[in-house]
Amino acid sequence: MDPAMDWKGHYQEGYWQSFVSLCKATILNFDSDKGFLERFKDWQTGNGDESVGTMRRSNMSLMIHDLGVYALISWLAGILLGLLKEQKKDDKYKNLSTLDKMERDFAKTFALSMASSVEDLGAFKDLISPITDWTPPSLKFATNVYKDTKEWMSGDKDFSKVMSENIGLIRQTENVLFL
């Protein structure tokens, strides 16, 4: 375990601050007579303060690592969800055992968990959602229930499908319960 460190007087910043300072120092520094590579080297070395330079390089390498892991998980989740969609089409007219149905539900839950762990991108989705989606969640839920109930009453959709699409707990186990 690392010993506690006194941060008083130490310079620190996060990914975003490091990235913004990199852009300001290299791309947006119109007043400098230095070339791009010289400005980058100055930023990278913290303009002479090695602790700042080390921290900035560390932040940028961690950011690249995290974005790479994010991209990999997103890619794998997309592949899994696509394969599960194909599997569901193949299983439509099969008489599956309960164990096979449970296996499908587990795979679906795993893939959806992977996808939802990266689909938000945290603060970015929260900041942009008021611009991209004006529908309050309660209205969206009511609209979905109304639409699905109408499809059930017209015979286009099974009652079990209506239930599994509108109740989260049932949605996770729809294959075992309703397939």
Side-chain angles (χ1 to χ4, degrees):
M1 184 176 201
D2 293 333
M5 182 175 181
D6 181 17
W7 284 100
K8 186 176 181 182
H10 287 270
Y11 183 80
Q12 68 182 43
E13 60 187 36
Y15 294 170
W16 183 248
Q17 290 89 356
S18 292
F19 181 73
V20 168
S21 70
L22 173 64
C23 290
K24 284 180 180 177
T26 57
I27 300 168
L28 302 173
N29 192 352
F30 302 114
D31 298 332
S32 178
D33 294 334
K34 296 179 180 180
F36 177 82
L37 291 176
E38 285 181 86
R39 293 189 306 245
F40 178 72
K41 192 176 249 181
D42 286 346
W43 175 85
Q44 192 177 25
T45 59
N47 293 324
D49 187 349
E50 190 53 40
S51 66
V52 173
T54 302
M55 180 265 320
R56 285 180 176 169
R57 290 188 303 275
S58 175
N59 278 344
M60 294 311 291
S61 72
L62 288 171
M63 184 176 80
I64 290 167
H65 171 270
D66 288 352
L67 288 174
V69 169
Y70 171 83
L72 178 66
I73 291 173
S74 298
W75 178 70
L76 289 173
I79 288 173
L80 283 174
L81 289 172
L83 291 172
L84 287 171
K85 194 174 190 178
E86 292 298 317
Q87 181 72 48
K88 190 170 185 170
K89 286 179 189 175
D90 292 344
D91 289 346
K92 191 168 188 171
Y93 299 106
K94 289 182 182 176
N95 188 14
L96 297 173
S97 70
T98 303
L99 188 60
D100 288 336
K101 292 176 184 179
M102 288 173 63
E103 184 180 286
R104 304 298 196 271
D105 283 337
F106 175 77
K108 178 183 171 188
T109 302
F110 179 75
L112 288 173
S113 296
M114 277 181 65
S116 67
S117 73
V118 293
E119 73 182 2
D120 296 340
L121 201 56
F124 295 122
K125 184 177 180 184
D126 293 340
L127 289 173
I128 196 102
S129 64
I131 297 168
T132 60
D133 188 10
W134 290 84
T135 310
S138 58
L139 183 60
K140 194 180 291 185
F141 175 75
T143 304
N144 289 343
V145 169
Y146 172 76
K147 179 182 68 86
D148 288 342
T149 303
K150 195 168 119 181
E151 288 179 16
W152 168 62
M153 292 177 106
S154 68
D156 293 336
K157 196 178 269 191
D158 288 340
F159 182 72
S160 61
K161 190 69 174 166
V162 171
M163 295 295 289
S164 68
E165 287 181 358
N166 291 291
I167 301 174
L169 181 63
I170 294 174
R171 188 179 308 126
Q172 300 300 320
T173 56
E174 71 178 327
N175 289 329
V176 173
L177 296 174
F178 300 120
L179 189 64

